[in-house]
């Protein structure tokens, strides 16, 4: 088959895919069905009493919004509607508004500072969360913005991760700095930064290992990477992005806490927001940590990583869109 036929087939396949908002709705379907269906089941038209509030709080906790956030949402509802007749639509609307209020301050895109040459982005997370794919997608976005991007294959213990990053490098036209398997990740990051500076790159995206089962080793490695690149640029990394798998539910909370012990996390990216996702976790994280949520991923395609939109997410979570 010719390259032209390949491109035509890819374009037709892309055209057949549902729009991004439709895929976000699909991604939140499991959580919104649990929440929306549960709320509808509680209310035909009845007064909001203590027993109903307790059931609502349980529903929110089961949907991975966390105990603290669930208590906050039900307390807000009680303050406005206690002992009044309410419908399921009114309850879902009230929750969506409050959730949007929690999410709006953290819905912040990853912004590259043009004064930095390069802006160094360290990407961290547990293996399997989609770090390498996220780096590839970010690289495409920055390339689309006409930025010069370089990639560093810092997960040196996994040959598959290095090869995957090289594939993304070819797709996006970004040079990939790599070394032999098991080479020193800090030295590789230093060499990558040196080259990025020499070639006037706008962005350097550094992949890292995520072997959380051996936390002490991982912590030492990440701290060494930061210490070594700081010798060349004391402010680097300028952004440290933690990639989280949206299917892990409340386990993501523990991952944020663990990685914050190791490095200064400046923002989050949520991946795998497909039909198996536990979307309430995003709200719990925003409420607990207040870290910027730069983007959410709803598929494997290069354009499936999008800026996080608080209101749309909140309404879809409650099955209102």
């Amino acid at each position: 088959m010719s390259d032209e036929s390949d491109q035509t087939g890819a374009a037709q396949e892309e055209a057949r895919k549902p729009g991004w908002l439709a895929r976000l709705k699909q991604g939140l379907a499991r959580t919104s069905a649990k929440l929306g269906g549960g709320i509808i089941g509680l209310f035909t038209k009845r007064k909001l009493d203590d027993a109903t509030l307790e059931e609502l709080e349980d529903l929110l906790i089961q949907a991975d919004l966390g105990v603290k956030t669930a208590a906050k949402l039900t307390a807000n509802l009680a303050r406005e509607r206690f002992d009044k007749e309410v419908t399921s639509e009114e309850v879902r609307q009230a929750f969506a508004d409050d959730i949007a209020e929690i999410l709006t301050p953290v819905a912040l895109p990853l912004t590259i500072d043009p004064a930095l040459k390069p802006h160094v982005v360290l990407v961290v997370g547990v293996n399997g969360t989609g770090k390498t794919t996220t780096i590839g997608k970010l690289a495409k976005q920055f390339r689309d913005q006409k930025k010069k991007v370089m990639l560093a294959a810092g997960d040196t213990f996994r040959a598959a991760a290095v090869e995957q990053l090289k594939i993304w490098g070819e797709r996006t036209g970004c040079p990939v700095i790599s070394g032999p398997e098991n080479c020193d990740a800090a030295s590789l990051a230093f060499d990558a930064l040196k080259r990025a500076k020499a070639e006037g790159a706008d962005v350097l995206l550094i992949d890292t290992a995520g072997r959380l089962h051996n936390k002490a080793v991982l912590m030492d490695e990440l701290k060494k990477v930061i210490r070594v690149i700081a010798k060349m640029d004391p402010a680097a990394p300028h952004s440290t992005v933690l990639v989280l798998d949206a299917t892990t539910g409340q386990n993501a909370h523990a991952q944020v806490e663990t990685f914050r012990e190791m490095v200064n996390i400046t923002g989050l990216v949520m991946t795998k927001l497909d039909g198996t996702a536990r979307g309430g976790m995003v709200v719990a994280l925003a409420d607990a940590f207040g870290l910027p949520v730069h983007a959410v991923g709803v598929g494997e395609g290069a354009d499936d990583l999008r800026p996080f939109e608080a209101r749309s997410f909140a309404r879809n979570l409650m099955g209102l869109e």
Side-chain angles (χ1 to χ4, degrees), residues 13-221:
E13 180 64 28
E14 188 63 30
R16 284 193 293 268
K17 287 170 68 176
W20 191 82
L21 283 175
R23 276 176 281 156
L24 174 62
K25 185 174 182 178
Q26 291 169 2
L28 292 173
R30 172 176 164 176
T31 307
S32 65
K34 182 184 288 186
L35 275 171
I39 292 169
I40 290 168
L42 276 177
F43 292 92
T44 47
K45 191 165 187 181
R46 58 185 282 190
K47 285 187 177 181
L48 188 67
D49 56 18
D50 287 326
T52 312
L53 283 167
E54 190 172 321
E55 290 181 74
L56 283 171
E57 190 170 332
D58 286 345
L59 271 175
L60 294 170
I61 292 169
Q62 289 165 22
D64 293 295
L65 275 86
V67 174
K68 177 190 166 190
T69 308
K72 179 190 289 188
L73 293 173
T74 51
N76 287 349
L77 184 67
R79 193 159 44 247
E80 298 291 329
R81 311 290 181 94
F82 190 75
D83 210 27
K84 295 178 182 176
E85 286 192 346
V86 289
T87 65
S88 62
E89 178 79 12
E90 289 170 336
V91 172
R92 289 188 294 149
Q93 183 65 61
F95 281 160
D97 289 346
D98 284 351
I99 288 170
E101 195 171 310
I102 291 169
L103 295 177
T104 297
V106 304
L108 299 168
L110 177 58
T111 304
I112 298 304
D113 187 344
L116 302 170
K117 287 281 188 172
H119 185 127
V120 180
V121 182
L122 189 70
V123 183
V124 302
V126 176
N127 286 340
T129 57
K131 287 194 310 297
T132 308
T133 303
T134 295
I135 289 171
K137 292 175 182 178
L138 288 172
K140 181 186 183 302
Q141 290 179 9
F142 295 141
R143 290 284 289 145
D144 288 346
Q145 296 167 19
K146 310 301 182 188
K147 297 188 190 306
K148 185 172 184 178
V149 182
M150 297 183 76
L151 312 177
D155 189 353
T156 59
F157 288 87
R158 290 197 309 136
V162 176
E163 289 307 310
Q164 188 182 16
L165 200 64
K166 287 180 178 178
I167 290 168
W168 275 105
E170 290 172 8
R171 284 181 189 168
T172 56
C174 300
V176 178
I177 292 85
S178 63
E181 192 172 351
N182 296 332
C183 71
D184 182 61
S187 297
L188 186 141
F190 184 87
D191 291 343
L193 180 53
K194 185 177 180 180
R195 181 173 161 186
K197 279 183 173 292
E199 297 186 16
D202 298 300
V203 188
L204 173 63
L205 293 160
I206 304 176
D207 197 4
T208 61
R211 305 177 306 281
L212 202 57
H213 61 277
N214 196 336
K215 180 181 166 183
V217 173
L218 179 58
M219 184 180 290
D220 288 345
E221 182 175 294

